[in-house]
């Protein structure tokens, strides 16, 4: 793995390797001093061209807990506002010598393009991690979500399995605009899970021919069969409201309402990538459901991002030793 741009860059074996490393870093994060010198001397540049709370702070925490230095780029106060191009901006930052770029962008494909520029300038020595691009991919979100399901099924790292055969994951909501859905479909199916999508037809992609999923509009029936229920945010910033009759009707047909929550088995793992639109795709009561893992998703995101940064920048012999420690 030279860059992490798409879950397909990892495949099942790569996901498992990240999971084993993340198990190690979860243990580090439980220590009194939750910090290791694994990336001391490395500099990680965070280029967030689109708003973010969870992913941005999570990458910053992960870098700091690995003792890396962090270079933070703020587009709102940058020379982009004076007309500098994306390419010139990236090449300017590369000239300051970061060891890795973390990129969030509203345009699908921007991190792929930036990885190409970084390869050309540095001879392939600066990896790029996609922190979410448009509707395309959000690989570290999916890795955190896979980790969360493993950890929900077994708190002991040595007992955790990456074989999700027989598991049914139900992903509900705005599939069309969701990079989280695309990454999670790839990650969960790579590990053997079956994925069922529930969405109004207006919020499905134009073609699902290449997606290894089944689709329904019957949320109540889907919830009865789910091992994992993954609610997606209705993405108001992508003019989605014109694609549903009204938010009230959307909530009635596709929202995890209080009455649906009451019916949901306490053993069902309930997830949401955040930020949540309470009263639209989910209600505040969801946080009281015994299967809710939404807070853990955020926390586990730090462990998997530590694993990704270490996998891309750590000394190879250390990576292999850490990855095999539990296995
Ligand atoms: N889940 C997620 O990507 O959240 P942010 O947009 O806050 O990073």
């Amino acid at each position: 793995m030279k860059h992490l741009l798409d879950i397909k860059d990892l495949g099942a074996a790569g996901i498992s390797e990240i999971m084993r490393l993340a198990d190690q870093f979860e243990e580090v994060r439980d220590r009194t001093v939750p910090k290791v010198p694994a990336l001391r001397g490395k500099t990680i540049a965070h280029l967030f061209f689109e708003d973010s709370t969870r992913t941005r702070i999570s990458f910053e925490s992960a870098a700091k807990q690995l003792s890396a230095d962090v270079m933070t780029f703020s587009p709102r106060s940058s020379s982009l506002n004076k007309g500098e191009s994306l390419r010139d901006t990236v090449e300017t930052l590369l000239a300051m010598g970061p060891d890795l770029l973390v990129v969030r962008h509203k345009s699908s494909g921007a991190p792929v393009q930036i990885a190409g520029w970084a390869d050309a300038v540095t001879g392939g020595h600066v990896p790029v991690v996609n922190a979410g691009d448009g509707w395309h991919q959000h690989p570290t979100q999916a890795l955190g979500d896979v980790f969360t399901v493993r950890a929900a099924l077994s708190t002991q790292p040595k007992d955790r399995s990456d074989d999700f055969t027989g598991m049914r994951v139900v992903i509900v909501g705005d599939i069309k605009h969701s990079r989280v859905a695309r990454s999670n479909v790839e990650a969960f199916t790579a590990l053997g899970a079956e994925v069922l999508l529930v969405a109004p037809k207006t919020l499905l992609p134009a073609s699902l021919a290449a997606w290894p999923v089944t689709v329904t509009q019957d949320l109540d029936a889907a919830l009865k069969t789910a091992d994992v229920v993954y609610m997606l945010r209705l993405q108001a910033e992508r003019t989605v409201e014109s694609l549903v009759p009204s938010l009230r009707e959307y909530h009635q047909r596709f929202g995890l309402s209080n009455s649906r929550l009451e019916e949901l088995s306490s053993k069902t793992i309930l997830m949401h990538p955040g930020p949540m639109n309470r009263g639209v795709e989910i209600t505040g009561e969801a946080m009281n459901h015994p299967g809710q893992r939404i807070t853990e998703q955020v926390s586990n995101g730090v462990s998997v991002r530590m694993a990704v940064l270490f996998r891309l920048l750590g000394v190879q012999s250390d990576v292999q030793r850490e990855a095999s420690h539990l296995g």
Side-chain angles (χ1 to χ4, degrees), residues 47-64:
L47 284 65
F48 278 71
F49 297 95
E50 185 197 68
D51 293 344
S52 167
T53 298
R54 275 149 284 272
T55 314
R56 185 170 58 82
I57 306 290
S58 182
F59 268 112
E60 281 180 19
S61 300
K64 287 175 181 168

Side-chain angles (χ1 to χ4, degrees), residues 1 3-16 18-19 112 130 133 136-147 179-191 304 308:
M1 181 173 67
H3 304 287
L4 178 57
L5 301 170
D6 191 311
I7 280 289
K8 286 198 184 86
D9 295 340
L10 291 169
I15 295 171
S16 290
I18 297 292
M19 292 302 114
V112 174
N130 183 355
D133 62 327
H136 176 226
Q137 279 282 310
H138 196 347
T140 59
Q141 175 73 43
L143 291 168
D145 295 339
V146 165
F147 187 90
R179 56 196 175 210
V180 173
R182 284 170 179 78
S183 296
N184 269 325
V185 166
E186 286 178 8
F188 281 109
T189 56
L191 299 180
V304 297
V308 166

